[in-house]
Amino acid sequence: MSLFITSLNSGSNGNCYYVGNQNEAVLVDAGISCREIEKRMKRLDLNIQKIKAVFVSHEHTDHIKGLCSLVKKYQFPVYITEPTLLQCNFSLEQHLVKSFSPEQPVYIGDLAITAFSKCHDACDPYSFVIEYNKVKVGVFTDIGTPCKNLIRHFKNCHAAFLESNFDELMLESGGYPYFLKKRISGGHGHLSNRQAVELFTQHRPAFMTHLILSHLSKNNNCPLLVQRLFDEHAKGVKIVVASRFEETPVYHIHNATSGKLKFEHTSVTSQLAFAFS
């Protein structure tokens, strides 16, 4: 009665997030190659046949780069809005293309996936919340500002992939041209470390157990800096910084029935050998 989650890759070089239960799973974005998705899932002992759909957040290359080859090979349905598909500049087999509407759950087996709009410089961008048996996991990256939609959904999550893209001082003093700095920090680009930690400290629910910091900038951030910053405010929440080069372990997310946070380290059978934490 749990969700299992991992970041297969997170960063401007490619984003791909796995969320599933014992029987079915979905990917949010496929920004790394089909071969890399296969390799990383194999290393985690995750069965790729459990994937039943791919949800696309927006059309930027680091979120769709591996989509066509993955879908062609495995015939996964792709949940994508029409404006995003038009901007992607590729064609998918028509019978695999599915749409979704904001705030209206899509059911994939026992999983309920709800999309909501976000502030990002794409044509029709969305974040997602995946729910199973009253356990909710959010995938919240490529967010220009912590809008009301984000805050509302974040408050209900037992775990979340949350963007912590840049350190404001590193961005300001770095070598990026002015227009790019404005694009990143101007409200429709990415979330800073400060914005992310404020969202976490001010709006996290008491039942949140895991926070996976995601989409860190290669040039304007530092994983150790992010880890230390959030560890200071963790208060029992497991803090993980997702890599731009490899997968994270698989984390077991469940609905703690008591008022205390609970972490399980037991193993699970049925084609899964999870590294719980």
Side-chain angles (χ1 to χ4, degrees):
M1 308 302 254
S2 308
L3 282 172
F4 303 96
I5 69 173
T6 178
S7 167
L8 296 176
N9 203 78
S10 187
S12 59
N13 62 333
N15 295 273
C16 187
Y17 307 97
Y18 173 103
V19 182
N21 59 25
Q22 292 280 15
N23 301 311
E24 59 256 331
V26 297
L27 294 181
V28 174
D29 294 331
I32 56 176
S33 70
C34 177
R35 178 177 295 181
E36 281 300 316
I37 290 172
E38 292 171 331
K39 286 169 54 178
R40 296 177 192 203
M41 289 187 64
K42 185 176 181 180
R43 288 198 294 255
L44 294 169
D45 289 324
L46 291 172
N47 185 348
I48 201 165
Q49 298 299 332
K50 289 185 183 291
I51 296 174
K52 304 304 180 185
V54 182
F55 284 76
V56 178
S57 64
H58 62 292
E59 73 273 14
H60 292 164
T61 304
D62 55 323
H63 295 263
I64 61 169
K65 185 164 47 182
L67 183 65
C68 285
S69 57
L70 180 72
V71 170
K72 182 177 181 180
K73 182 172 183 178
Y74 291 101
Q75 295 290 290
F76 296 143
V78 178
Y79 285 82
I80 185 170
T81 65
E82 184 175 353
T84 297
L85 182 59
L86 290 173
Q87 290 294 320
C88 283
N89 198 29
F90 57 58
S91 61
L92 298 170
E93 295 177 58
Q94 190 59 43
H95 71 282
L96 297 176
V97 176
K98 312 292 183 182
S99 191
F100 60 84
S101 300
E103 307 293 349
Q104 296 183 16
V106 172
Y107 293 94
I108 305 294
D110 291 327
L111 303 175
I113 299 89
T114 302
F116 65 92
S117 60
K118 61 183 179 181
C119 298
H120 192 56
D121 56 357
C123 70
D124 193 27
Y126 290 92
S127 288
F128 300 96
V129 175
I130 299 91
E131 180 177 3
Y132 168 65
N133 195 36
K134 299 183 179 179
V135 179
K136 292 185 178 183
V137 172
V139 183
F140 308 137
T141 69
D142 297 75
I143 300 165
T145 188
C147 66
K148 292 180 180 179
N149 280 346
L150 174 61
I151 291 170
R152 173 167 53 89
H153 285 285
F154 187 80
K155 286 180 174 180
N156 293 316
C157 286
H158 296 81
F161 299 90
L162 177 64
E163 178 172 71
S164 191
N165 179 259
F166 66 96
D167 174 80
E168 292 175 348
L169 182 59
M170 290 178 69
L171 179 65
E172 182 181 349
S173 60
Y176 279 14
Y178 177 76
F179 79 89
L180 186 54
K181 292 180 180 181
K182 291 297 292 182
R183 182 256 163 182
I184 292 169
S185 62
H188 284 84
H190 294 283
L191 210 63
S192 72
N193 295 342
R194 176 187 59 81
Q195 290 172 307
V197 80
E198 286 178 357
L199 175 68
F200 176 57
T201 56
Q202 294 175 17
H203 300 293
R204 68 178 173 199
F207 48 80
M208 179 173 278
T209 60
H210 292 69
L211 186 73
I212 302 181
L213 284 313
S214 305
H215 213 312
L216 273 67
S217 169
K218 179 181 178 181
N219 298 311
N220 301 301
N221 214 344
C222 170
L224 291 177
L225 172 65
V226 174
Q227 187 76 57
R228 287 197 299 265
L229 175 63
F230 280 84
D231 278 347
E232 291 176 4
H233 303 281
K235 295 184 178 180
V237 176
K238 174 72 174 178
I239 303 295
V240 180
V241 177
S243 172
R244 61 188 293 113
F245 303 111
E246 61 184 4
E247 68 278 11
T248 69
V250 176
Y251 297 100
H252 175 197
I253 313 302
H254 63 96
N255 189 351
T257 55
S258 69
K260 296 180 180 180
L261 297 177
K262 178 183 177 184
F263 301 98
E264 290 193 5
H265 297 269
T266 54
S267 61
V268 178
T269 56
S270 73
Q271 300 178 315
L272 300 176
F274 290 121
F276 288 163
S277 180

